[in-house]
Structures are given as structure tokens and as C-alpha cells.
Amino acid sequence: MFLRLKQISKSFFSKGVLIREVLSKLSLEVEEGESVSIVGPSGSGKTTLLNIIGTLDQPNEGQVLYKEKDVSLFNNQQLASFRSRQIGFVFQQHYLLPQCTLWENILVPTLPLKDRGWKNQCIQRGQELLKRTGIWEQRHQKPGELSGGECQRAAVVRALINAPSLLLADEPTGALDQKNSDNLAELLFEINQSDRVTLIMVTHNTSLAARANKIFLLEEGQLKPHRGNSPLS
């Protein structure tokens, strides 16, 4: 099994007092190369869940297993290395550095890499992805000179440059118009299928969610297989 969440619980406290339980003994299994969408009401904990999967946050209880390795046992250095090599993140906002060119932004994840051979492979991959996504000609421009769709495609390239096995997307089309949203959806699922990158996304976009192999509704701290008559937002 590529990814397994076992009995994940997450609560928030203030001065030792429970404020809110967001996730309650939640479990999930994802095979390598699958696409999964997670939908649910605002405030249901979708982003919290994605952050736990991405090792940016830790559950109060439960295990996150990648290929049966429990990442909760990793130290900070091991977690940082694991994220760098295995996980790519795409957010609703592209978070490109405005003072840098598109290409400079895309190269940011390669800066800590010490293995020169691997770094060169990642740079070559970045160039190939720029051409695949149709923004090669814009690589020397800065984000302020580009459209929202172009910036979001650049954010996807940046997330994929280190050849991660898992791509996590948090409302990736939320800031885009319909045309750019459709284009980005095509890109995400093309990469999922052609490169066998496992894709897990949180979205309110019903057409985007419906394209995934599996759709789950996050409600009352639990993931439930989505039914056709269940709400998507």
C-alpha cells in the first residue's frame, strides 16, 4: 500500500482546553498512481488532513504510513528530506516570489539538493515540464507579467521538479476562471496518469472532484465514500 492513514485524530487546544476536534479516528488507503479528491463543507478539516498527509502537521493520535513506513518516527531532518524528495504541494494561491523570474521560482526546490547529478536531472525535468505545460516562452518573465493560469501552471511545475511520488493539491483551481480551471485540471490528471504520480486534492470544484478515481466526503471528522446525492460543498 502506497499511503495508509490509520485511526487519525486531530484536535486543537488552547491553554490545555479542547477547542475543537477536527478529525476523529479517520482512516484512508491510497494505492500508488491513484487520484483521490476530498470534498466537504468549509471548516470540516480538509486542509488539516492534507497537511497531515504532507507531514506539515502531526495528528494527536494515529499513524501516517508511506509504503508501510511510519513517518511519525522520523526526526525533523528526515521529514524535511522526505518532503523534498517524495511530496509536491500545490495551493490555491501560487506563492511565486514576485522578484524572481518564472524559471527562478521553479528552481527553488532544487536549491537544497547536494547531489549534483540528481540536481541536474531535476533541472532538466523542470525544463521538460515547462515545455509540456506551455509556459516555456514565459520562463524569463516575472509573475506580475503573467496570467493567473500561467502562474498556477508554474506552481505545478515547481511542485513536480524534484519528481515526487505524491502530489497534494489544496483548492488548486480556486483562484482561476473556468477556462484556466479546466486547463489546470487537464494538466493535473495528465501528469497523474502519464507519470504515475499519486494525486490527492481538496476541492470545492465538483467537475474537478468527479474526475478522480475515488471521491471522499469529509464530514464530522470522518471520511466517507462520496455518494451522488451527497453535498460537495
Side-chain angles (χ1 to χ4, degrees), residues 47 58 161 194:
T47 295
Q58 292 188 344
I161 193 170
S194 64

Side-chain angles (χ1 to χ4, degrees), residues 12-170:
F12 293 99
F13 298 83
S14 177
K15 297 180 181 179
V17 178
L18 175 65
I19 301 299
R20 184 181 170 214
E21 183 181 50
V22 180
L23 306 175
S24 177
K25 298 191 180 301
L26 177 152
S27 295
L28 173 68
E29 293 185 350
V30 180
E31 297 281 2
E32 187 168 8
E34 276 192 317
S35 58
V36 175
S37 60
I38 300 171
V39 299
S42 296
S44 60
K46 299 186 298 296
T47 295
T48 298
L49 175 58
L50 212 62
N51 286 341
I52 289 173
I53 294 172
T55 73
L56 295 174
D57 197 0
Q58 292 188 344
N60 301 118
E61 297 178 5
Q63 293 177 295
V64 179
L65 305 173
Y66 283 93
K67 297 182 179 179
E68 303 307 322
K69 290 184 179 180
D70 187 349
V71 297
S72 67
L73 303 177
F74 290 5
N75 60 35
N76 288 338
Q77 184 176 354
Q78 289 172 320
L79 277 176
S81 176
F82 174 76
R83 279 194 297 268
S84 174
R85 291 295 295 264
Q86 300 297 333
I87 304 178
F89 296 89
V90 180
F91 304 97
Q92 181 171 342
Q93 304 299 325
H94 53 72
Y95 296 120
L96 299 179
L97 300 171
Q99 71 274 25
C100 296
T101 65
L102 206 66
W103 181 234
E104 289 168 340
N105 269 284
I106 286 165
L107 289 178
V108 166
T110 71
L111 297 179
L113 299 181
K114 294 181 173 60
D115 184 327
R116 184 169 295 276
W118 174 245
K119 189 168 188 172
N120 289 337
Q121 286 183 49
C122 291
I123 291 171
Q124 183 177 353
R125 175 175 168 80
Q127 293 171 338
E128 292 169 355
L129 286 167
L130 276 175
K131 293 172 184 176
R132 280 175 65 182
T133 54
I135 51 174
W136 172 254
E137 298 299 329
Q138 291 85 357
R139 65 191 183 282
H140 298 308
Q141 294 178 256
K142 293 182 178 179
E145 302 168 334
L146 303 170
S147 70
E150 288 168 333
C151 287
Q152 196 66 330
R153 275 182 276 163
V156 173
V157 174
R158 180 182 59 190
L160 293 169
I161 193 170
N162 285 356
S165 57
L166 174 62
L167 182 61
L168 301 178
D170 191 354

Side-chain angles (χ1 to χ4, degrees), residues 1 20 31 70 89 108 130 148 189 191 202 207 222 233:
M1 185 61 61
R20 184 181 170 214
E31 297 281 2
D70 187 349
F89 296 89
V108 166
L130 276 175
F189 284 99
I191 288 169
V202 161
S207 60
Q222 291 283 324
S233 60

Side-chain angles (χ1 to χ4, degrees), residues 177-192:
D177 59 29
Q178 189 62 52
K179 180 180 178 181
N180 281 310
S181 176
D182 291 343
N183 289 339
L184 188 68
E186 287 294 332
L187 172 62
L188 291 173
F189 284 99
E190 182 218 327
I191 288 169
N192 162 245

